[in-house]
Amino acid sequence: MSQRHSDVLIIGGGPAGYLAAERAAQGGLTVTLFEKRAMGGVCLNEGCIPTKTLLHSAKIYETALKGGAYGVTADNVRLDHNAVVTRKDKVVKMLVSGVEGKMKAGKISVIKSTAVINEKNGAHFIVEGAGEKYSGRYILLAAGSEPMIPPIPGLKEGLEKGFAVTSREILELREIPEKLTVIGAGVVGLEMAAYFATAGSKVSVIEMTEKIAGYTDAEIASILLKDMQHRGIDFKLGCQVTGLSPGSVTYEKNGKAEKLSTDCVLIAIGRRPTIQNLGFEKLNIHTERGAIPTDNQLRTNVSGVYAIGDINGKSMLAHTAYREAEVAVNHILGKKDTMRYDAIPAVIYTAPEVAGVGETEESAREKGLAFSVKKLSTRYSGRFVAENDKADGLCKLLIENGTERLIGAHLIGPYASEMIYGASMMIESRWPVGDLKELVFPHPTVSEIIRETFFN
């Protein structure tokens, strides 16, 4: 078996892996990257990008249906799901080609194969892939994550027959199921519920807890819940799924068994780091609760081995992965850099959009922080009123007492995904609210609601 050498070996071609490869090459390092499926990983092929493509089509469709309120009417408006999926595939193909082009331009060796750590030989690590051995001074583990598959009776058979699907397969459906049941009310579950409800499915969402949207601020999550219920989505909260059979899902609520008829079931209870079959035991790489612990430079317990992106389980978001990749590569290059997780924004791309960053009321109380809350309806934004008929939203800011610093910001409404980075910068900068009030926002914009809320 032949052997090739690079400075850096990267396992995984998702956001963490491909950006790390790009930054390392820019820093003068030679790089070999292993990707077993398609460049771009889950985010580009079956996550962030394809789901947003579907949701944008749904948004255009809903806007057309409501056009009469704005003096614009159209006949026979319909959503062609098959055409939407075709466009989604085109968008994904174009962006994957873009990532591949960057790898080629950076003279990065891409091996389309699984990769397994073999050993450490002196100062070099040995990784096997595509029938060859590759050596490198550093390893960046960026293998990503995979859907969690709970031990529900009948689920395995359902997945085999296509009655049950994960976030990967649902994006390939060419026909809209008449009845769709979503198990899990996290980001993936809510976004897919929103799209398929708009596309014509009768959607039910079963969630184990009494709250939707995971760690999202509870008040914001409650507003989103009511909006989605108003759109016809049925939520069954505090329920435990107990079994799947062709055409139905059984669940329990307060010990009482219920059955729900359905044509398709989406399993969306979350994701877990991909750490199996990578050869970690060869180097004694430490794992904890199914993830790889890292420090603030993304180093593992093994010198020269870094874990970036979903695989370390810290913040399973593509934009977190990008920043982790930069910090890890900077450390390899001898540049001072530190990963911080206090001001990482999160978004749910439903309609209305939800975005948040920093502490929620719940997390701040758990930490014993003293804080005040300022809230304001987005109807105080002139642009929002001009562009939205019979709609509302909310801006919610958490300010720490004493320091008078912004420690949390939460939004529900249009453009929330585009506005939240500003709040993230405010938290990261650690400026007191008095200074933040002096910032000038463009008018008229929905983003002005952040400034108005400071003064409320």
Side-chain angles (χ1 to χ4, degrees):
M1 186 180 289
S2 61
Q3 181 170 306
R4 302 180 186 179
H5 177 76
S6 297
D7 294 318
V8 181
L9 305 176
I10 301 175
I11 300 178
Y18 74 71
L19 188 67
E22 187 178 351
R23 294 290 186 265
Q26 289 170 346
L29 301 174
T30 55
V31 182
T32 297
L33 183 149
F34 303 86
E35 172 52 53
K36 62 183 179 181
R37 287 199 181 95
M39 288 300 298
V42 169
C43 175
L44 190 46
N45 293 278
E46 56 196 68
C48 315
I49 299 303
T51 56
K52 304 316 165 278
T53 306
L54 266 62
L55 287 165
H56 185 65
S57 291
K59 184 177 180 179
I60 292 174
Y61 173 61
E62 286 193 318
T63 300
L65 289 177
K66 298 175 182 177
Y70 305 91
V72 180
T73 58
D75 297 326
N76 301 317
V77 177
R78 67 188 185 92
L79 187 150
D80 183 341
H81 176 67
N82 189 56
V84 171
V85 174
T86 297
R87 180 177 181 272
K88 179 265 297 182
D89 291 342
K90 183 178 179 180
V91 169
V92 169
K93 183 178 180 180
M94 179 178 69
L95 293 176
V96 168
S97 295
V99 172
E100 291 174 340
K102 283 188 174 183
M103 298 300 99
K104 185 176 181 180
K107 297 182 179 180
I108 295 158
S109 178
V110 176
I111 310 300
K112 294 188 176 181
S113 166
T114 56
V116 179
I117 297 170
N118 185 285
E119 63 178 336
K120 186 174 185 182
N121 186 353
H124 296 92
F125 297 99
I126 309 299
V127 171
E128 290 186 21
E132 295 190 57
K133 287 185 177 180
Y134 298 80
S135 68
R137 291 187 292 148
Y138 305 97
I139 293 179
L140 270 62
L141 301 170
S145 62
E146 58 195 10
M148 292 177 63
I149 306 298
I152 299 172
L155 176 55
K156 180 180 178 182
E157 294 79 5
L159 289 168
E160 290 173 350
K161 295 178 180 178
F163 167 63
V165 296
T166 69
S167 55
R168 178 182 301 162
E169 295 86 25
I170 197 165
L171 294 171
E172 302 303 321
L173 295 182
R174 286 283 175 172
E175 294 183 3
I176 296 293
E178 183 177 338
K179 296 179 181 179
L180 172 67
T181 298
V182 179
I183 300 178
V187 175
V188 173
L190 293 175
E191 290 184 352
M192 289 296 90
Y195 172 76
F196 280 92
T198 300
S201 289
K202 178 177 174 55
V203 179
S204 297
V205 180
I206 303 175
E207 166 59 38
M208 184 183 299
T209 70
E210 294 289 349
K211 173 181 175 292
I212 69 168
Y215 295 108
T216 301
D217 179 89
E219 183 177 13
I220 297 291
S222 178
I223 295 171
L224 178 62
L225 172 63
K226 291 176 182 177
D227 189 275
M228 295 186 78
Q229 288 174 326
H230 181 72
R231 292 167 180 265
I233 300 173
D234 179 34
F235 284 86
K236 302 183 184 302
L237 304 180
C239 296
Q240 176 72 49
V241 177
T242 56
L244 268 68
S245 58
S248 68
V249 175
T250 56
Y251 62 94
E252 287 186 358
K253 172 79 172 180
N254 297 325
K256 182 181 178 181
E258 301 282 352
K259 180 178 280 191
L260 182 66
S261 65
T262 190
D263 299 302
C264 182
V265 177
L266 168 62
I267 305 300
I269 66 168
R271 300 183 67 85
R272 63 183 180 189
T274 301
I275 60 173
Q276 303 298 321
N277 305 315
L278 293 175
F280 289 179
E281 67 281 356
K282 301 290 182 64
L283 300 179
N284 293 317
I285 296 172
H286 179 58
T287 62
E288 188 175 292
R289 293 191 293 275
I292 304 175
T294 58
D295 63 11
N296 288 338
Q297 280 72 45
L298 287 308
R299 293 176 291 186
T300 69
N301 66 303
V302 178
S303 180
V305 179
Y306 299 75
I308 54 179
D310 287 4
I311 199 168
N312 64 37
K314 289 188 175 184
S315 172
M316 297 169 76
L317 299 166
H319 43 282
T320 303
Y322 285 140
R323 180 65 185 130
E324 289 177 334
E326 291 175 336
V327 172
V329 171
N330 281 340
H331 189 263
I332 290 171
L333 293 171
K335 300 178 180 179
K336 186 176 181 180
D337 203 354
T338 299
M339 185 66 203
R340 298 181 297 277
Y341 295 93
D342 294 336
I344 294 177
V347 179
I348 304 174
Y349 293 85
T350 45
E353 293 181 347
V354 168
V357 62
E359 304 291 348
T360 63
E361 283 198 69
E362 297 73 35
S363 67
R365 289 194 192 99
E366 288 176 3
K367 294 177 181 179
L369 300 177
F371 64 95
S372 59
V373 177
K374 289 182 175 291
K375 296 185 285 187
L376 194 63
S377 164
T378 49
R379 295 194 69 81
Y380 280 82
S381 159
R383 183 178 180 186
F384 176 87
V385 175
E387 294 185 357
N388 292 271
D389 183 64
K390 298 178 182 179
D392 201 354
L394 181 69
C395 177
K396 181 176 184 178
L397 305 177
L398 277 65
I399 299 168
E400 186 176 38
N401 296 342
T403 65
E404 294 303 306
R405 290 188 294 105
L406 181 68
I407 59 172
H410 307 279
L411 303 163
I412 181 167
Y415 310 111
S417 62
E418 300 292 343
M419 291 157 52
I420 197 63
Y421 88 93
S424 181
M425 290 177 66
M426 292 175 185
I427 294 174
E428 188 75 52
S429 71
R430 303 175 68 85
W431 288 359
V433 170
D435 290 344
L436 296 176
K437 286 180 177 180
E438 296 177 6
L439 295 175
V440 178
F441 286 69
H443 175 81
T445 61
V446 180
S447 67
E448 288 177 288
I449 198 64
I450 295 176
R451 186 175 190 275
E452 293 299 322
T453 304
F454 280 132
F455 284 95
N456 186 41

